Amino acid sequence: MTTQPEDLHQQINTWKSNVNDVRDEVKMMRDRLEQIALSDAPREVMTRVEHFENRFLRQREVADEIFHDIKQCAKKVTATPVLVIHDDRPVDDYDTMQNRMEIFQKLYEELKSDFNHFITREA
């Protein structure tokens, strides 16, 4: 299958947008967590706060790593201004990047669900 470079850039831009959305949502969750941390919550709640602080920090690190890798894919596409021939993969390592994005989204959704459950119990 032949894909225009514009289609490749569109896929890459979608990935970048997804990662940025996760970054923004994690920031909002961290802000909410900070409110709980500043309250007079019991020790067991503060333990959970620390747990989520660590998970949010790691989520941000992973987001930064994957965003960097996406940018590297964009450079690879830009370096190939002609049509790219492939079997429905926008970049050479598309399968790997697609798999990483799926795992990234899945783990983020789990984090978000866990945090929302925590918030509803503590609110």
Side-chain angles (χ1 to χ4, degrees):
M1 173 182 270
T2 303
T3 300
Q4 296 291 333
E6 299 83 33
D7 295 336
L8 303 177
H9 286 291
Q10 184 177 13
Q11 175 66 62
I12 289 168
N13 287 335
T14 298
W15 287 340
K16 285 181 180 179
S17 178
N18 291 345
V19 172
N20 282 329
D21 289 346
V22 167
R23 287 173 167 166
D24 292 343
E25 290 182 23
V26 167
K27 183 182 180 334
M28 287 187 291
M29 288 187 288
R30 286 184 68 191
D31 291 345
R32 178 66 179 111
L33 191 65
E34 186 177 326
Q35 294 172 353
I36 295 171
L38 295 174
S39 70
D40 290 330
R43 182 167 173 78
E44 61 272 1
V45 171
M46 296 309 287
T47 300
R48 297 281 292 157
V49 165
E50 184 177 351
H51 168 77
F52 280 108
E53 285 176 344
N54 292 334
R55 286 183 70 185
F56 292 155
L57 178 63
R58 183 61 188 138
Q59 183 70 41
R60 178 61 191 227
E61 289 170 350
V62 171
D64 290 346
E65 290 167 7
I66 203 161
F67 194 85
H68 174 267
D69 292 346
I70 292 168
K71 288 185 349 185
Q72 294 304 312
C73 286
K75 286 181 183 179
K76 187 181 291 187
V77 170
T78 301
T80 311
V82 297
L83 293 179
V84 178
I85 308 296
H86 60 82
D87 58 349
D88 201 27
R89 294 180 290 172
V91 292
D92 292 343
D93 57 349
Y94 175 78
D95 289 335
T96 301
M97 186 57 68
Q98 181 68 35
N99 186 47
R100 287 181 64 203
M101 284 300 298
E102 288 170 5
I103 292 169
F104 175 76
Q105 281 298 137
K106 179 180 178 272
L107 292 175
Y108 171 68
E109 291 301 325
E110 289 173 8
L111 171 60
K112 185 175 174 180
S113 176
D114 291 349
F115 184 69
N116 287 335
H117 183 66
F118 168 71
I119 290 296
T120 55
R121 287 189 325 198
E122 300 309 320

